[in-house]
Amino acid sequence: MRLLGRVGSPQAVVAVLTAITGVYMVLVVLGNVTDYETNRAFVQHVFAMDTTFRSPNTAYRAITDQTAVTVAYVLIIAWEAVTAAVLLAALVAWLRGRPAARPLSTAGWVMQVLLFGGGFIVIGGEWFLMWQSKDWNGLSAAFQNFVIAAFGLVLVRLSTRDAPVRAET
């Protein structure tokens, strides 16, 4: 019964979601590095706005400079890698019962919200009108990642109402 209470605790739930999102972000980075050109093409087409409705009122937003596209893509990958590292560090902290677990999970999920919500939904989806593209529309995946991270943030904040993570010994 004691094991069941521990496995079903809010801290265990947050640790599991931290593990899932941390491993997911590692796989995202791995995919972006090992299939660099395919995923860079996605960023290139979103920035170029070449598959949107091509309204002259919004065309000024397009970025076709290849250096800018590459820099943006590398920064996205770096952000994803740091997010993965923070979430995995949070997982280790959860497993070891360290007080740093909550702030690390929070930081990782905030980073994920900023990337998928701010970067892909706001900037990609609205500024670059990604929603208009049939071929290069990543809004569904971005929303999915945003919701998972937001849910993690809610859970980690609610879990503070329960017994705190044990202090370091």
Side-chain angles (χ1 to χ4, degrees), residues 7 35 72 103 110 117 143 149 151 160:
V7 171
D35 195 13
V110 165
F143 182 71
F151 182 68
T160 62

Side-chain angles (χ1 to χ4, degrees), residues 15-158:
V16 167
L17 189 58
T18 301
I20 290 168
T21 53
V23 170
Y24 172 79
M25 290 304 296
V26 167
L27 294 175
V28 168
V29 171
L30 182 65
N32 283 336
V33 170
T34 59
D35 195 13
Y36 182 88
E37 288 304 322
T38 298
N39 294 304
R40 186 190 174 282
F42 187 93
V43 175
Q44 178 181 338
H45 285 287
V46 170
F47 275 31
M49 301 172 65
D50 56 2
T51 58
T52 64
F53 300 163
R54 297 182 182 241
S55 167
N57 297 322
T58 57
Y60 70 93
R61 300 177 189 176
I63 297 173
T64 56
D65 179 73
Q66 295 307 300
T67 301
V69 170
T70 299
V71 167
Y73 185 49
V74 168
L75 288 174
I76 289 168
I77 295 171
W79 188 270
E80 292 166 343
V82 173
T83 302
V86 170
L87 287 167
L88 293 178
L91 172 61
V92 170
W94 282 112
L95 294 175
R96 293 185 176 173
R98 303 288 192 241
R102 278 190 188 90
L104 284 169
S105 288
T106 300
W109 285 322
V110 165
M111 291 176 72
Q112 195 172 349
V113 162
L114 287 171
L115 177 64
F116 290 102
F120 296 143
I121 294 172
V122 173
I123 295 172
E126 284 304 317
W127 182 256
F128 290 113
L129 304 173
M130 184 169 55
W131 64 270
Q132 293 181 359
S133 177
K134 292 178 187 160
D135 299 318
W136 303 102
N137 185 344
L139 285 175
S140 180
F143 182 71
Q144 163 191 307
N145 285 286
F146 174 82
V147 168
I148 291 168
F151 182 68
L153 285 170
V154 170
L155 282 180
V156 79
R157 301 322 307 164
L158 289 176

